[in-house]
């Protein structure tokens, strides 16, 4: 009888030891492969939304450099081209104008910076030369200095044109 107990304890110990080793190896392999696969995909998705130059933005006859987001809202806006929008100042940090119809939006609470172009309430284009926190859909960013942008936008009336690239 004592031999059977010893053999049973040894067998049980070996089973536990082997199952523990197998689990550790699988975990290490899975974790390593998940990390390696996630990094390139993440970098790819971060880089892609900024590449396409879908539209040209003209502020009072001056073509300004814009990096457009690739999302459903910019795609919907592009379908309305050419588009002329009269903007009005609001709050001393932005210009706002009606697009003329509602387009698809995906508003999120964000803090804007100078140069940001956003969609507000699904039917208004907003261009910032200051900062604000509110629920907007990002459309793009004007690639100019704060001083240049303020000189263009800090006025009573601004007209923008969106045309196909």
């Amino acid at each position: 009888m004592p031999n059977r107990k010893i053999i049973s304890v040894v067998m049980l110990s070996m089973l536990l030891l082997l199952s523990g080793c197998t689990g550790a190896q699988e975990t290490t392999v899975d974790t390593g492969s998940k990390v390696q696969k996630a990094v390139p995909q993440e970098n790819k998705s971060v880089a892609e939304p900024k590449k396409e130059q879908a539209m040209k933005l003209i502020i009072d006859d001056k073509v300004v450099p814009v990096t457009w987001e690739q999302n459903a809202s910019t795609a919907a806006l592009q379908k309305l081209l050419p588009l002329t929008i009269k903007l009005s100042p609001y709050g001393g940090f932005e210009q706002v104008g009606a697009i003329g119809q509602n387009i698809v939006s995906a508003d999120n609470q964000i803090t804007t910076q100078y140069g940001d172009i956003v969609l507000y309430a699904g039917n208004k284009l907003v261009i910032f030369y200051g900062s604000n926190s509110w629920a907007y859909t990002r459309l793009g960013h004007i690639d100019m200095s704060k001083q240049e942008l303020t000189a263009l936008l800090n006025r009573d009336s601004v007209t923008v044109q969106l045309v196909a690239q």
Side-chain angles (χ1 to χ4, degrees):
M1 258 315 181
N3 287 339
R4 283 188 178 183
K5 284 184 183 180
I6 292 173
I7 291 174
S8 295
V9 169
V10 169
M11 298 260 307
L12 182 60
S13 298
M14 288 180 67
L15 280 173
L16 287 174
L17 181 63
L18 288 174
S19 66
C21 289
T22 303
Q25 288 174 345
E26 288 176 4
T27 303
T28 303
V29 170
D30 286 348
T31 303
S33 65
K34 286 180 186 174
V35 170
Q36 290 174 356
K37 287 181 185 174
V39 172
Q41 290 173 354
E42 183 178 329
N43 289 343
K44 184 178 179 185
S45 66
V46 169
E48 279 186 26
K50 302 286 186 178
K51 288 183 180 176
E52 184 178 318
Q53 297 299 316
M55 298 170 272
K56 188 184 324 183
L57 177 66
I58 304 166
I59 300 177
D60 288 336
D61 299 322
K62 178 179 170 94
V63 177
V64 296
V66 176
T67 302
W68 296 101
E69 296 290 327
Q70 285 185 338
N71 59 34
S73 298
T74 55
L77 191 59
Q78 191 172 10
K79 289 178 184 176
L80 301 177
L81 301 182
L83 194 58
T84 299
I85 305 170
K86 187 162 185 129
L87 303 179
S88 301
Y90 180 81
F93 53 84
E94 67 184 60
Q95 287 279 348
V96 183
I99 293 172
Q101 69 183 61
N102 283 338
I103 62 172
V104 63
S105 63
D107 291 347
N108 289 309
Q109 184 71 28
I110 60 174
T111 299
T112 62
Q113 301 300 320
Y114 75 90
D116 284 345
I117 304 169
V118 300
L119 178 66
Y120 171 68
N123 63 4
K124 291 178 184 60
L125 183 79
V126 183
I127 303 176
F128 286 90
Y129 56 95
S131 180
N132 191 34
S133 292
W134 202 260
Y136 301 111
T137 301
R138 289 192 185 274
L139 297 175
H141 183 82
I142 298 173
D143 303 317
M144 296 174 73
S145 73
K146 187 171 186 174
Q147 294 77 18
E148 291 172 309
L149 201 56
T150 301
L152 272 176
L153 297 175
N154 192 12
R155 297 184 279 137
D156 286 338
S157 177
V158 174
T159 301
V160 298
Q161 295 176 340
L162 292 167
V163 295
Q165 191 74 340

